[in-house]
Amino acid sequence: MNRRQRLTALVGCVALASGVSGCWDQHPVETRAAVAAIGIDPGPQPGLERYTFTFPNVTATTSSLSSLSPSQQFYTIPVVASGLLPALAAAQRQESRTLYLGQVRIVCLSTHLPSAVWRRTLMTMADSGRFVLTTWVVAAPVAQAVVSVTPPVEVVPEVGLYNALVCHCQAIRWPGRGWRVWAAVATPGVSPAVVSVTRQQDRFHVRAIAVLGRHHVYRWPSFATQGWAYLTGHVTQGGLTVPIHRAPQVVGLIRGTRHLQFRAAGGHVTAVVQLDYSGVLVGEPAGSDSVHQDRLVEAAVAEHIQRAVAAAWVEAQRTQTDPMGWHRDAGWAGVPRADSTDWAHWTLDTTVHFTLREEGVLR
């Protein structure tokens, strides 16, 4: 075989290989069981957890969805195991198709689990290489109940909670993307925070954050969560009602910015935060005294934000957690700190400015 023949044969082999490459590591969809959500709750004894794997019903079609109840659009496999990987192996033994983790939408961990289980699970997700780290990590008192919520959906079975968190339609930009939570766990001076979900009948509600402490997971009150959102710039289209002359005034589409700096003196640290927010007065027609009315509304909203911030500050000190990441930020700014969650020598100095924007309905 001369040189030209050898070259022709080589090109032919490359062409043949390129034609079949990519097929060897692919699996038909009918042979895969795509996990949509995973719930993790305390098990029957220490060292064991209850895992609930939720799968979309692959027999559902566009035409059949209208005749299927929400509960028929998904099915679950529950197992008890000592970790995420053993749980996957146990679930695989009950499933005739290969488990596929590339479409996991939600991983929900119980707030009753110790922090060590949370950290172990997050590290396993990151290290296994089988999870998409854009998965949303959330908290709930009972994780199994959350991953079993299957509200009516369109076209194909989908996880409603995931859609709610990625729709950019929530008042607060909730924390919880898997890679962000994992990064916060691995970063000193940050207490990871995720959205806390509760189930009421067949619906889910998101109102607060859960913060991962040293040994426990703390669910912050809703008002303190508002304060955290203002302090961290997570309010994107908030809304609240304030009483003016005993008449409720509704303010919506609240958004803004925050500016943070640190002052250190004699081992004491002061976090100086300036919050500049604005919103829209909804449904209030302008009148002869509208300017004075607006000033009253602005002052009332600013006071509300100030009280919410104070509640967040109290909760951070009570739980010895730092979901704002201020200890990390102070360290990066060269401010010495005694401990990653120690607030003993810290003071909060907050200034709030709120203004109404002239874009409300009927204004």
Side-chain angles (χ1 to χ4, degrees), residues 36-64:
I38 303 173
I40 309 175
D41 291 292
Q45 63 189 56
L48 294 176
E49 296 86 48
R50 297 186 185 277
Y51 292 80
T52 303
F53 296 92
T54 301
F55 302 84
N57 183 355
V58 295
T59 64
T61 63
T62 303
S63 58
S64 67

PDB file of all heavy atoms in Angstrom, residues 36-64:
ATOM      1  N   ALA A  36     -36.600  13.959  38.570  1.00  0.00           N
ATOM      2  CA  ALA A  36     -37.020  15.357  38.526  1.00  0.00           C
ATOM      3  C   ALA A  36     -36.750  16.075  39.845  1.00  0.00           C
ATOM      4  O   ALA A  36     -36.437  17.266  39.850  1.00  0.00           O
ATOM      5  CB  ALA A  36     -38.502  15.459  38.182  1.00  0.00           C
ATOM      6  N   ALA A  37     -36.884  15.379  40.964  1.00  0.00           N
ATOM      7  CA  ALA A  37     -36.693  16.003  42.273  1.00  0.00           C
ATOM      8  C   ALA A  37     -36.285  14.939  43.278  1.00  0.00           C
ATOM      9  O   ALA A  37     -36.622  13.759  43.131  1.00  0.00           O
ATOM     10  CB  ALA A  37     -37.960  16.711  42.730  1.00  0.00           C
ATOM     11  N   ILE A  38     -35.553  15.366  44.302  1.00  0.00           N
ATOM     12  CA  ILE A  38     -35.109  14.473  45.371  1.00  0.00           C
ATOM     13  C   ILE A  38     -35.441  15.127  46.704  1.00  0.00           C
ATOM     14  O   ILE A  38     -35.088  16.293  46.933  1.00  0.00           O
ATOM     15  CB  ILE A  38     -33.599  14.196  45.285  1.00  0.00           C
ATOM     16  CG1 ILE A  38     -33.225  13.610  43.917  1.00  0.00           C
ATOM     17  CG2 ILE A  38     -33.154  13.257  46.410  1.00  0.00           C
ATOM     18  CD1 ILE A  38     -31.723  13.464  43.710  1.00  0.00           C
ATOM     19  N   GLY A  39     -36.094  14.417  47.572  1.00  0.00           N
ATOM     20  CA  GLY A  39     -36.379  14.890  48.926  1.00  0.00           C
ATOM     21  C   GLY A  39     -35.605  14.063  49.937  1.00  0.00           C
ATOM     22  O   GLY A  39     -35.527  12.833  49.813  1.00  0.00           O
ATOM     23  N   ILE A  40     -35.022  14.728  50.929  1.00  0.00           N
ATOM     24  CA  ILE A  40     -34.213  14.034  51.940  1.00  0.00           C
ATOM     25  C   ILE A  40     -34.725  14.425  53.324  1.00  0.00           C
ATOM     26  O   ILE A  40     -34.724  15.610  53.686  1.00  0.00           O
ATOM     27  CB  ILE A  40     -32.719  14.381  51.803  1.00  0.00           C
ATOM     28  CG1 ILE A  40     -32.252  14.177  50.358  1.00  0.00           C
ATOM     29  CG2 ILE A  40     -31.886  13.538  52.761  1.00  0.00           C
ATOM     30  CD1 ILE A  40     -30.817  14.620  50.121  1.00  0.00           C
ATOM     31  N   ASP A  41     -35.150  13.435  54.095  1.00  0.00           N
ATOM     32  CA  ASP A  41     -35.694  13.632  55.441  1.00  0.00           C
ATOM     33  C   ASP A  41     -34.924  12.779  56.439  1.00  0.00           C
ATOM     34  O   ASP A  41     -34.214  11.842  56.048  1.00  0.00           O
ATOM     35  CB  ASP A  41     -37.176  13.248  55.474  1.00  0.00           C
ATOM     36  CG  ASP A  41     -38.056  14.199  54.693  1.00  0.00           C
ATOM     37  OD1 ASP A  41     -38.185  15.358  55.127  1.00  0.00           O
ATOM     38  OD2 ASP A  41     -38.609  13.794  53.649  1.00  0.00           O
ATOM     39  N   PRO A  42     -35.048  13.072  57.740  1.00  0.00           N
ATOM     40  CA  PRO A  42     -34.405  12.217  58.744  1.00  0.00           C
ATOM     41  C   PRO A  42     -34.900  10.786  58.637  1.00  0.00           C
ATOM     42  O   PRO A  42     -36.075  10.529  58.341  1.00  0.00           O
ATOM     43  CB  PRO A  42     -34.822  12.863  60.075  1.00  0.00           C
ATOM     44  CG  PRO A  42     -35.118  14.287  59.727  1.00  0.00           C
ATOM     45  CD  PRO A  42     -35.695  14.255  58.345  1.00  0.00           C
ATOM     46  N   GLY A  43     -33.998   9.846  58.864  1.00  0.00           N
ATOM     47  CA  GLY A  43     -34.345   8.439  58.776  1.00  0.00           C
ATOM     48  C   GLY A  43     -34.783   7.862  60.107  1.00  0.00           C
ATOM     49  O   GLY A  43     -34.960   8.586  61.100  1.00  0.00           O
ATOM     50  N   PRO A  44     -34.943   6.543  60.164  1.00  0.00           N
ATOM     51  CA  PRO A  44     -35.425   5.896  61.394  1.00  0.00           C
ATOM     52  C   PRO A  44     -34.414   5.923  62.532  1.00  0.00           C
ATOM     53  O   PRO A  44     -34.784   5.701  63.685  1.00  0.00           O
ATOM     54  CB  PRO A  44     -35.716   4.460  60.934  1.00  0.00           C
ATOM     55  CG  PRO A  44     -34.827   4.257  59.737  1.00  0.00           C
ATOM     56  CD  PRO A  44     -34.748   5.586  59.070  1.00  0.00           C
ATOM     57  N   GLN A  45     -33.145   6.203  62.206  1.00  0.00           N
ATOM     58  CA  GLN A  45     -32.114   6.256  63.244  1.00  0.00           C
ATOM     59  C   GLN A  45     -30.975   7.126  62.751  1.00  0.00           C
ATOM     60  O   GLN A  45     -30.860   7.401  61.542  1.00  0.00           O
ATOM     61  CB  GLN A  45     -31.605   4.847  63.560  1.00  0.00           C
ATOM     62  CG  GLN A  45     -30.923   4.164  62.384  1.00  0.00           C
ATOM     63  CD  GLN A  45     -30.627   2.703  62.662  1.00  0.00           C
ATOM     64  OE1 GLN A  45     -31.528   1.935  62.982  1.00  0.00           O
ATOM     65  NE2 GLN A  45     -29.358   2.330  62.560  1.00  0.00           N
ATOM     66  N   PRO A  46     -30.139   7.626  63.667  1.00  0.00           N
ATOM     67  CA  PRO A  46     -29.011   8.460  63.239  1.00  0.00           C
ATOM     68  C   PRO A  46     -28.132   7.728  62.235  1.00  0.00           C
ATOM     69  O   PRO A  46     -27.880   6.530  62.366  1.00  0.00           O
ATOM     70  CB  PRO A  46     -28.263   8.731  64.556  1.00  0.00           C
ATOM     71  CG  PRO A  46     -29.309   8.597  65.618  1.00  0.00           C
ATOM     72  CD  PRO A  46     -30.236   7.512  65.145  1.00  0.00           C
ATOM     73  N   GLY A  47     -27.676   8.461  61.229  1.00  0.00           N
ATOM     74  CA  GLY A  47     -26.844   7.865  60.194  1.00  0.00           C
ATOM     75  C   GLY A  47     -27.613   7.383  58.989  1.00  0.00           C
ATOM     76  O   GLY A  47     -27.014   6.968  57.992  1.00  0.00           O
ATOM     77  N   LEU A  48     -28.950   7.439  59.084  1.00  0.00           N
ATOM     78  CA  LEU A  48     -29.798   7.033  57.959  1.00  0.00           C
ATOM     79  C   LEU A  48     -30.755   8.165  57.615  1.00  0.00           C
ATOM     80  O   LEU A  48     -31.235   8.876  58.501  1.00  0.00           O
ATOM     81  CB  LEU A  48     -30.587   5.772  58.282  1.00  0.00           C
ATOM     82  CG  LEU A  48     -29.792   4.476  58.478  1.00  0.00           C
ATOM     83  CD1 LEU A  48     -30.727   3.344  58.891  1.00  0.00           C
ATOM     84  CD2 LEU A  48     -29.039   4.094  57.210  1.00  0.00           C
ATOM     85  N   GLU A  49     -31.024   8.333  56.336  1.00  0.00           N
ATOM     86  CA  GLU A  49     -31.984   9.333  55.871  1.00  0.00           C
ATOM     87  C   GLU A  49     -33.010   8.666  54.958  1.00  0.00           C
ATOM     88  O   GLU A  49     -32.741   7.623  54.355  1.00  0.00           O
ATOM     89  CB  GLU A  49     -31.295  10.470  55.101  1.00  0.00           C
ATOM     90  CG  GLU A  49     -30.343  11.308  55.912  1.00  0.00           C
ATOM     91  CD  GLU A  49     -28.949  10.729  55.970  1.00  0.00           C
ATOM     92  OE1 GLU A  49     -28.421  10.367  54.899  1.00  0.00           O
ATOM     93  OE2 GLU A  49     -28.387  10.619  57.103  1.00  0.00           O
ATOM     94  N   ARG A  50     -34.167   9.288  54.877  1.00  0.00           N
ATOM     95  CA  ARG A  50     -35.213   8.839  53.943  1.00  0.00           C
ATOM     96  C   ARG A  50     -35.123   9.678  52.671  1.00  0.00           C
ATOM     97  O   ARG A  50     -35.212  10.906  52.736  1.00  0.00           O
ATOM     98  CB  ARG A  50     -36.603   8.986  54.575  1.00  0.00           C
ATOM     99  CG  ARG A  50     -36.819   8.125  55.807  1.00  0.00           C
ATOM    100  CD  ARG A  50     -38.267   8.208  56.299  1.00  0.00           C
ATOM    101  NE  ARG A  50     -38.453   7.474  57.537  1.00  0.00           N
ATOM    102  CZ  ARG A  50     -38.671   6.159  57.617  1.00  0.00           C
ATOM    103  NH1 ARG A  50     -38.766   5.454  56.497  1.00  0.00           N
ATOM    104  NH2 ARG A  50     -38.820   5.570  58.781  1.00  0.00           N
ATOM    105  N   TYR A  51     -34.954   9.026  51.556  1.00  0.00           N
ATOM    106  CA  TYR A  51     -34.831   9.692  50.259  1.00  0.00           C
ATOM    107  C   TYR A  51     -36.087   9.413  49.437  1.00  0.00           C
ATOM    108  O   TYR A  51     -36.549   8.266  49.361  1.00  0.00           O
ATOM    109  CB  TYR A  51     -33.605   9.193  49.506  1.00  0.00           C
ATOM    110  CG  TYR A  51     -32.296   9.593  50.152  1.00  0.00           C
ATOM    111  CD1 TYR A  51     -31.794   8.891  51.248  1.00  0.00           C
ATOM    112  CD2 TYR A  51     -31.564  10.676  49.678  1.00  0.00           C
ATOM    113  CE1 TYR A  51     -30.602   9.260  51.847  1.00  0.00           C
ATOM    114  CE2 TYR A  51     -30.370  11.054  50.272  1.00  0.00           C
ATOM    115  CZ  TYR A  51     -29.895  10.341  51.350  1.00  0.00           C
ATOM    116  OH  TYR A  51     -28.719  10.710  51.945  1.00  0.00           O
ATOM    117  N   THR A  52     -36.610  10.457  48.844  1.00  0.00           N
ATOM    118  CA  THR A  52     -37.759  10.326  47.949  1.00  0.00           C
ATOM    119  C   THR A  52     -37.345  10.816  46.572  1.00  0.00           C
ATOM    120  O   THR A  52     -37.020  11.989  46.393  1.00  0.00           O
ATOM    121  CB  THR A  52     -38.959  11.146  48.452  1.00  0.00           C
ATOM    122  OG1 THR A  52     -39.294  10.735  49.781  1.00  0.00           O
ATOM    123  CG2 THR A  52     -40.167  10.946  47.540  1.00  0.00           C
ATOM    124  N   PHE A  53     -37.340   9.925  45.592  1.00  0.00           N
ATOM    125  CA  PHE A  53     -36.987  10.265  44.218  1.00  0.00           C
ATOM    126  C   PHE A  53     -38.276  10.408  43.413  1.00  0.00           C
ATOM    127  O   PHE A  53     -39.108   9.499  43.394  1.00  0.00           O
ATOM    128  CB  PHE A  53     -36.102   9.191  43.596  1.00  0.00           C
ATOM    129  CG  PHE A  53     -34.760   9.055  44.268  1.00  0.00           C
ATOM    130  CD1 PHE A  53     -34.567   8.144  45.304  1.00  0.00           C
ATOM    131  CD2 PHE A  53     -33.685   9.841  43.884  1.00  0.00           C
ATOM    132  CE1 PHE A  53     -33.338   8.012  45.933  1.00  0.00           C
ATOM    133  CE2 PHE A  53     -32.444   9.730  44.504  1.00  0.00           C
ATOM    134  CZ  PHE A  53     -32.278   8.814  45.533  1.00  0.00           C
ATOM    135  N   THR A  54     -38.416  11.568  42.770  1.00  0.00           N
ATOM    136  CA  THR A  54     -39.614  11.849  41.985  1.00  0.00           C
ATOM    137  C   THR A  54     -39.274  11.785  40.503  1.00  0.00           C
ATOM    138  O   THR A  54     -38.285  12.376  40.055  1.00  0.00           O
ATOM    139  CB  THR A  54     -40.163  13.243  42.330  1.00  0.00           C
ATOM    140  OG1 THR A  54     -40.458  13.288  43.733  1.00  0.00           O
ATOM    141  CG2 THR A  54     -41.433  13.539  41.544  1.00  0.00           C
ATOM    142  N   PHE A  55     -40.106  11.068  39.747  1.00  0.00           N
ATOM    143  CA  PHE A  55     -39.896  10.877  38.312  1.00  0.00           C
ATOM    144  C   PHE A  55     -41.134  11.347  37.545  1.00  0.00           C
ATOM    145  O   PHE A  55     -42.266  11.116  37.996  1.00  0.00           O
ATOM    146  CB  PHE A  55     -39.671   9.398  37.981  1.00  0.00           C
ATOM    147  CG  PHE A  55     -38.513   8.768  38.699  1.00  0.00           C
ATOM    148  CD1 PHE A  55     -38.668   8.265  39.986  1.00  0.00           C
ATOM    149  CD2 PHE A  55     -37.282   8.651  38.085  1.00  0.00           C
ATOM    150  CE1 PHE A  55     -37.605   7.666  40.645  1.00  0.00           C
ATOM    151  CE2 PHE A  55     -36.206   8.051  38.737  1.00  0.00           C
ATOM    152  CZ  PHE A  55     -36.364   7.565  40.020  1.00  0.00           C
ATOM    153  N   PRO A  56     -40.951  11.965  36.385  1.00  0.00           N
ATOM    154  CA  PRO A  56     -42.100  12.240  35.528  1.00  0.00           C
ATOM    155  C   PRO A  56     -42.607  10.945  34.909  1.00  0.00           C
ATOM    156  O   PRO A  56     -41.832  10.034  34.596  1.00  0.00           O
ATOM    157  CB  PRO A  56     -41.540  13.189  34.467  1.00  0.00           C
ATOM    158  CG  PRO A  56     -40.080  12.901  34.437  1.00  0.00           C
ATOM    159  CD  PRO A  56     -39.696  12.490  35.832  1.00  0.00           C
ATOM    160  N   ASN A  57     -43.889  10.881  34.729  1.00  0.00           N
ATOM    161  CA  ASN A  57     -44.524   9.710  34.118  1.00  0.00           C
ATOM    162  C   ASN A  57     -44.277   9.751  32.617  1.00  0.00           C
ATOM    163  O   ASN A  57     -44.852  10.574  31.913  1.00  0.00           O
ATOM    164  CB  ASN A  57     -46.019   9.715  34.433  1.00  0.00           C
ATOM    165  CG  ASN A  57     -46.726   8.489  33.889  1.00  0.00           C
ATOM    166  OD1 ASN A  57     -46.140   7.667  33.193  1.00  0.00           O
ATOM    167  ND2 ASN A  57     -48.000   8.368  34.212  1.00  0.00           N
ATOM    168  N   VAL A  58     -43.422   8.854  32.112  1.00  0.00           N
ATOM    169  CA  VAL A  58     -43.059   8.894  30.694  1.00  0.00           C
ATOM    170  C   VAL A  58     -44.193   8.450  29.792  1.00  0.00           C
ATOM    171  O   VAL A  58     -44.137   8.651  28.576  1.00  0.00           O
ATOM    172  CB  VAL A  58     -41.815   8.017  30.425  1.00  0.00           C
ATOM    173  CG1 VAL A  58     -40.608   8.590  31.130  1.00  0.00           C
ATOM    174  CG2 VAL A  58     -42.072   6.572  30.838  1.00  0.00           C
ATOM    175  N   THR A  59     -45.249   7.858  30.363  1.00  0.00           N
ATOM    176  CA  THR A  59     -46.388   7.457  29.529  1.00  0.00           C
ATOM    177  C   THR A  59     -47.326   8.616  29.257  1.00  0.00           C
ATOM    178  O   THR A  59     -48.223   8.507  28.436  1.00  0.00           O
ATOM    179  CB  THR A  59     -47.181   6.321  30.198  1.00  0.00           C
ATOM    180  OG1 THR A  59     -47.755   6.797  31.431  1.00  0.00           O
ATOM    181  CG2 THR A  59     -46.272   5.136  30.500  1.00  0.00           C
ATOM    182  N   ALA A  60     -47.092   9.760  29.969  1.00  0.00           N
ATOM    183  CA  ALA A  60     -47.939  10.930  29.742  1.00  0.00           C
ATOM    184  C   ALA A  60     -47.576  11.593  28.425  1.00  0.00           C
ATOM    185  O   ALA A  60     -46.404  11.739  28.089  1.00  0.00           O
ATOM    186  CB  ALA A  60     -47.785  11.932  30.891  1.00  0.00           C
ATOM    187  N   THR A  61     -48.567  11.990  27.692  1.00  0.00           N
ATOM    188  CA  THR A  61     -48.365  12.690  26.424  1.00  0.00           C
ATOM    189  C   THR A  61     -49.153  13.988  26.448  1.00  0.00           C
ATOM    190  O   THR A  61     -49.961  14.233  27.352  1.00  0.00           O
ATOM    191  CB  THR A  61     -48.832  11.836  25.239  1.00  0.00           C
ATOM    192  OG1 THR A  61     -50.248  11.600  25.357  1.00  0.00           O
ATOM    193  CG2 THR A  61     -48.100  10.497  25.198  1.00  0.00           C
ATOM    194  N   THR A  62     -48.931  14.820  25.430  1.00  0.00           N
ATOM    195  CA  THR A  62     -49.643  16.088  25.367  1.00  0.00           C
ATOM    196  C   THR A  62     -51.146  15.874  25.346  1.00  0.00           C
ATOM    197  O   THR A  62     -51.899  16.587  26.007  1.00  0.00           O
ATOM    198  CB  THR A  62     -49.211  16.867  24.105  1.00  0.00           C
ATOM    199  OG1 THR A  62     -47.796  17.045  24.141  1.00  0.00           O
ATOM    200  CG2 THR A  62     -49.905  18.220  24.042  1.00  0.00           C
ATOM    201  N   SER A  63     -51.573  14.865  24.631  1.00  0.00           N
ATOM    202  CA  SER A  63     -53.015  14.614  24.518  1.00  0.00           C
ATOM    203  C   SER A  63     -53.596  13.956  25.758  1.00  0.00           C
ATOM    204  O   SER A  63     -54.779  14.121  26.059  1.00  0.00           O
ATOM    205  CB  SER A  63     -53.288  13.731  23.291  1.00  0.00           C
ATOM    206  OG  SER A  63     -52.573  12.496  23.404  1.00  0.00           O
ATOM    207  N   SER A  64     -52.740  13.233  26.517  1.00  0.00           N
ATOM    208  CA  SER A  64     -53.271  12.519  27.679  1.00  0.00           C
ATOM    209  C   SER A  64     -53.216  13.328  28.965  1.00  0.00           C
ATOM    210  O   SER A  64     -53.845  12.958  29.961  1.00  0.00           O
ATOM    211  CB  SER A  64     -52.512  11.203  27.881  1.00  0.00           C
ATOM    212  OG  SER A  64     -51.165  11.448  28.258  1.00  0.00           O
TER     213      SER A  64
END
